[in-house]
Amino acid sequence: MGWFSAPEYWLGALVLERGTAVIYLIAFVGAARQFRALIGEHGMLPVPRYIAEQSFRRAPSLFHFRYSDRLFASACWFGAALSAAIVAGAAGLVPLWAGMLMWLTLWVLYLSIVNVGQAWYSFGWESLLLETGFLMIFLGNERVAPPLLTLLLARWLLFRVEFGAGLIKMRGDRCWRDLTCLYYHHETQPMPGPTSWFFHHLPKPLHRIEVAGNHFAQLVVPFGLFAPQPVASIAAAIIVVTQLWLVTSGNFAWLNWVTILLACSAIDYSSAARLLPVPVQPVLPEAPPWFAGLVIAFTGVMLVLSYWPARNLLSAEQRMNMSFNPFHLANTYGAFGSICRIRREVVIEGTSESKITEQTVWKEYEFKGKPTGLRRLPRQFAPYHLRLDWLMWFAAISPGYALPWMTPFLTRLLRNDPPTLRLLHHNPFPEFPPRYVRAQLYVYRFTTFRELRRDHAWWHRTLIGRYVSPMSLGK
């Protein structure tokens, strides 16, 4: 079965495997640190209430059998420890079947989290990690040459990520077609990074070049992934460079990093050795027949499941970031089909005064990632994902996004709930909780060069009006 193995891709497969384990590690740690306030037993959207209303068939998860915060935390930390072990090379030290079992365990644990995570886990990169993580089960380990079929499935996944994102843009907002979307996007993206202010102030002709380059990278380059070498490696390198550009200009959790890892599946050893100091290629044995049979069967299943995302790509009513099955396999991807022209932000405030008057002093809660303080430079958090901050961006666009969880969130602030406060950067009421909290809606914009020098502020804001009226525990 010489056609089955692709030893010339051992390095790309190794980077893909170890990198995916790193992302799993970050995802599990993030889940462990944030779940109590978001989906815990006393969280804003509690898991027990959700699974009481959902069947196992529609949302398969280990937590259907039993849920407690301690059990959830244990699953997260066990997943993190197992991920760290694979990063350290544990999957290559055990028999092939044991390595496959390690990857399967990670996938089952994270699927169990995502399927009970509700709005907090409704992002496309959750499905991307699960689909990539399932591929890792069939990539083998350092004891065998990587299977060509699994590598091709990784490229097919990468193709759907890139080409789907390109199509959704061309079919969506007009600014993608007239090359003006980046006049706004760096400022209005969900969670700007420390360089976003500088990207926003690049000359407009350069913004148009950025958009044109993005269209080329997403609509043309992905076809090169299936071409002979060195074309496939060149296509993958272009995708890596464009994704690093996105990493530099914003915070998109692990979306860009998983995309970069998938691109490694198309880079062969010879191409990498021309540019980088890489280890000597080892001699790897052929995969055992039982493993080859499993990979072939898995490939057949994925080809069948791929019908739905392929049909979606060809549809004029293309949908983005959608799973066609509860296992998050063979998904469709895409982002920013429409671009906001102005940035709205929900600002949460509280007061200790017992009676609200026109002279009441309101103090602001500051978030870790989303803009609040005007003089605070946006931070870099990706690939770590701040789930509350991201949903606050959606809440500012439309209050409907926040209907299920905004009141529970504010109620927990009125109690100085420790798990909730740990999601924030600054609590203005460290000793006693506030009597009232409210939410105000602002328009935020990046300051100009002159305003930055004068005010030492990265943002300027204008009040639109009330988002949530003052509320207290007694009302």
Side-chain angles (χ1 to χ4, degrees):
M1 295 184 61
W3 61 270
F4 180 81
S5 299
E8 66 274 21
Y9 291 98
W10 74 273
L11 183 60
L14 179 64
V15 173
L16 174 57
E17 179 197 59
R18 299 291 179 88
T20 301
V22 169
I23 301 301
Y24 260 137
L25 172 60
I26 294 169
F28 280 117
V29 170
R33 292 173 57 85
Q34 300 179 59
F35 84 94
R36 292 183 187 275
L38 302 179
I39 59 174
E41 291 173 297
H42 305 289
M44 302 175 213
L45 300 176
V47 170
R49 185 178 67 192
Y50 178 74
I51 59 179
E53 301 169 353
Q54 289 289 334
S55 67
F56 182 88
R57 181 173 173 271
R58 294 189 61 183
S61 171
L62 295 174
F63 300 114
H64 276 281
F65 302 105
R66 182 174 177 269
Y67 179 85
S68 70
D69 284 356
R70 178 175 295 181
L71 181 62
F72 192 97
S74 298
C76 292
W77 290 117
F78 179 75
L82 185 56
S83 302
I86 295 177
V87 172
L93 300 176
V94 298
L96 180 56
W97 64 266
M100 295 178 69
L101 186 59
M102 293 171 73
W103 282 109
L104 178 61
T105 301
L106 290 180
W107 181 81
V108 169
L109 288 175
Y110 200 66
L111 177 72
S112 296
I113 293 171
V114 170
N115 279 347
V116 299
Q118 304 163 78
W120 311 107
Y121 282 79
S122 60
F123 301 95
W125 47 74
E126 313 293 356
S127 296
L128 181 59
L129 177 55
L130 284 169
E131 188 169 351
T132 304
F134 202 80
L135 285 177
M136 295 304 98
I137 301 171
F138 302 93
L139 189 61
N141 60 14
E142 296 165 45
R143 297 186 175 202
V144 298
L148 178 61
L149 291 176
T150 305
L151 294 171
L152 290 175
L153 286 174
R155 296 186 208 179
W156 166 233
L157 171 54
L158 177 59
F159 180 90
R160 282 182 278 125
V161 171
E162 288 289 272
F163 195 61
L167 285 180
I168 206 73
K169 292 180 176 68
M170 297 303 290
R171 289 169 170 161
D173 203 316
R174 180 180 177 181
C175 68
W176 289 116
R177 296 187 293 277
D178 64 22
L179 308 183
T180 61
C181 272
L182 291 189
Y183 292 2
Y184 321 100
H185 173 66
H186 294 303
E187 179 179 64
T188 64
Q189 62 182 302
M191 207 164 74
T195 63
S196 298
W197 186 94
F198 302 94
F199 274 88
H200 176 69
H201 288 294
L202 291 173
K204 286 187 175 181
L206 186 54
H207 283 317
R208 296 172 72 90
I209 293 173
E210 280 185 279
V211 178
N214 178 85
H215 291 335
F216 175 73
Q218 293 188 325
L219 293 171
V220 178
V221 171
F223 290 94
L225 295 170
F226 303 99
Q229 296 294 353
V231 176
S233 291
I234 293 172
I238 293 172
I239 290 173
V240 169
V241 170
T242 56
Q243 291 298 316
L244 288 174
W245 184 270
L246 295 174
V247 166
T248 305
S249 63
N251 280 289
F252 300 102
W254 51 78
L255 173 64
N256 309 119
W257 289 108
V258 176
T259 306
I260 289 170
L261 294 172
L262 289 169
C264 294
S265 67
I267 300 176
D268 68 341
Y269 179 83
S270 298
S271 299
R274 290 191 186 101
L275 299 176
L276 301 170
V278 296
V280 176
Q281 180 171 339
V283 177
L284 297 173
E286 293 280 338
W290 65 265
F291 179 67
L294 287 176
V295 171
I296 293 171
F298 167 64
T299 302
V301 170
M302 290 301 294
L303 289 176
V304 173
L305 294 177
S306 293
Y307 166 76
W308 287 274
R311 184 180 66 174
N312 182 71
L313 286 177
L314 299 175
S315 172
E317 303 297 324
Q318 178 191 0
R319 300 179 66 178
M320 63 181 183
N321 294 327
M322 179 182 176
S323 297
F324 298 96
N325 56 77
F327 301 104
H328 296 265
L329 300 179
N331 312 288
T332 186
Y333 302 96
F336 298 108
S338 61
I339 293 294
C340 298
R341 270 52 172 186
I342 61 172
R343 181 181 197 91
R344 294 179 176 87
E345 285 290 348
V346 176
V347 175
I348 310 297
E349 301 173 331
T351 182
S352 296
E353 298 177 20
S354 58
K355 186 177 181 181
I356 297 176
T357 66
E358 292 184 359
Q359 286 73 43
T360 295
V361 176
W362 293 91
K363 298 179 181 179
E364 295 181 5
Y365 290 86
E366 192 165 345
F367 288 73
K368 292 181 178 180
K370 93 174 193 69
T372 307
L374 304 182
R375 295 190 176 188
R376 186 165 177 256
L377 179 69
R379 302 295 196 263
Q380 184 68 39
F381 285 95
Y384 192 81
H385 180 27
L386 298 173
R387 299 184 182 280
L388 176 62
D389 294 64
W390 266 80
L391 255 66
M392 289 296 293
W393 180 80
F394 285 104
I397 295 174
S398 172
Y401 285 105
L403 282 176
W405 54 268
M406 181 60 77
T407 298
F409 171 49
L410 297 177
T411 300
R412 281 155 180 76
L413 294 182
L414 288 167
R415 296 172 179 158
N416 263 5
D417 177 57
T420 302
L421 293 176
R422 281 195 289 270
L423 301 179
L424 304 177
H425 175 69
H426 172 65
N427 171 26
F429 304 95
E431 296 182 3
F432 301 99
R435 294 284 187 90
Y436 292 90
V437 292
R438 70 178 185 181
Q440 302 283 82
L441 187 63
Y442 286 84
V443 168
Y444 271 59
R445 66 166 176 82
F446 277 135
T447 54
T448 63
F449 284 96
R450 179 178 296 180
E451 289 170 332
L452 177 62
R453 289 194 299 268
R454 183 190 67 204
D455 304 327
H456 305 288
W458 301 98
W459 296 98
H460 181 278
R461 72 183 186 187
T462 304
L463 179 65
I464 298 176
R466 183 171 295 171
Y467 187 87
V468 175
S469 298
M471 59 178 286
S472 67
L473 290 178
K475 296 183 180 178

